[in-house]
Amino acid sequence: KNTYGIYIAFSSGWNRIFGNYLIGNSYNAYDLGLRNSWDNGITGNYYSDLGKVVYIPGGSGVDRHPLGIESANSDYDDPFS
């Protein structure tokens, strides 16, 4: 089990992060950076601890379009479940 799926440092900003499958981490995402976007306006990321809107710890990041379980690859077996 990883501590962080994606960790964005304070010196990193203006990134667009989407289309990732963050599964089985202590923190699926952590963002200390400036104005990072966690979706592209249509598609976000898949989180194993999914909610309707995902607030990214560490800063003001929000994934407004998280991928639901129906978006996950049905052939993927989560080794942590």
Side-chain angles (χ1 to χ4, degrees):
K1 184 172 187 172
N2 295 317
T3 302
Y4 298 101
I6 296 177
Y7 182 94
I8 306 290
F10 70 91
S11 60
S12 183
W14 300 91
N15 297 292
R16 187 168 286 166
I17 304 140
F18 65 96
N20 299 287
Y21 287 80
L22 303 164
I23 299 170
N25 304 291
S26 296
Y27 297 94
N28 282 323
Y30 198 84
D31 184 1
L32 294 173
L34 178 65
R35 296 188 184 193
N36 292 306
S37 175
W38 287 87
D39 60 69
N40 68 359
I42 298 170
T43 302
N45 301 282
Y46 174 81
Y47 304 87
S48 57
D49 56 353
L50 180 67
K52 288 188 178 185
V53 174
V54 177
Y55 295 91
I56 310 301
S60 60
V62 176
D63 188 338
R64 298 186 192 285
H65 301 280
L67 300 173
I69 192 69
E70 68 277 358
S71 300
N73 182 343
S74 61
D75 294 332
Y76 179 83
D77 291 323
D78 183 354
F80 303 103
S81 61

